[in-house]
Amino acid sequence: MTTKMMSVLMFALVFPVVLSAQAATTFVKVPEGYCWEDTKEFVKQNGRGINADDNQHLLTGQFAEARSGAGDLTLNVRTLIGKNKKGEEGCTIAVEELGGAAASDLNQRANSAFGSFNTRFAARIAAFVSAREKAREKKEKQEKKP
């Protein structure tokens, strides 16, 4: 009885790890509150069925993936506050595919031809967050001038 229970528990713990793809990360120099809010805004604009966990700074949702023919992908997007290798304050944006589509043959071929969807999506989020931060800085400078 205990060996059956152990095998079921091992399967439940290992199976999701095998099916999930490697996460792509990118660092953005943005204050922590803005990073999470801007990331959440971008993900909600570009995905469907978005679930947001404000405590853990985690978003889960479906995103259209046309390049491989694999259909929609389910992604986890997480923001982590910290410093980069240079010691600059900011946040890391991590994007991870979930489920069987992440490990499909069509997706793997598309990744080798066009680059990882995770990496490209993380870069798009980082560009959006950086642009929003630059707009805020520009607005602050304009407000300071009489």
Side-chain angles (χ1 to χ4, degrees):
M1 185 73 164
T2 57
T3 54
K4 285 183 182 180
M5 197 64 141
M6 288 299 286
S7 62
V8 169
L9 284 174
M10 274 307 262
F11 181 75
L13 293 173
V14 174
F15 189 68
V17 173
V18 171
L19 289 182
S20 67
Q22 186 174 9
T25 60
T26 185
F27 184 82
V28 184
K29 291 191 294 184
V30 178
E32 64 180 83
Y34 291 123
C35 183
W36 168 242
E37 292 301 322
D38 293 344
T39 299
K40 188 165 51 169
E41 181 181 341
F42 180 85
V43 169
K44 286 185 176 185
Q45 287 175 0
N46 291 282
R48 291 188 331 270
I50 305 299
N51 294 321
D53 184 344
D54 288 325
N55 294 329
Q56 295 185 19
H57 289 200
L58 176 68
L59 298 156
T60 303
Q62 293 182 346
F63 300 86
E65 171 53 327
R67 73 190 158 95
S68 68
D72 290 351
L73 297 175
T74 301
L75 300 178
N76 270 348
V77 179
R78 181 181 299 268
T79 61
L80 305 164
I81 305 307
K83 295 182 180 183
N84 64 6
K85 293 176 184 176
K86 298 177 185 176
E88 300 167 320
E89 293 284 334
C91 79
T92 300
I93 299 168
V95 177
E96 178 185 30
E97 293 177 38
L98 301 175
S104 75
D105 186 47
L106 288 172
N107 229 10
Q108 289 174 2
R109 276 190 260 147
N111 283 347
S112 64
F114 306 116
S116 168
F117 182 79
N118 296 357
T119 303
R120 290 184 290 118
F121 195 72
R124 286 176 50 206
I125 295 171
F128 179 83
V129 171
S130 294
R132 294 295 297 260
E133 180 60 18
K134 287 179 183 177
R136 279 190 290 272
E137 289 173 357
K138 184 177 179 181
K139 186 177 178 181
E140 285 177 18
K141 285 181 183 179
Q142 289 176 346
E143 289 175 353
K144 288 182 180 178
K145 290 182 180 178

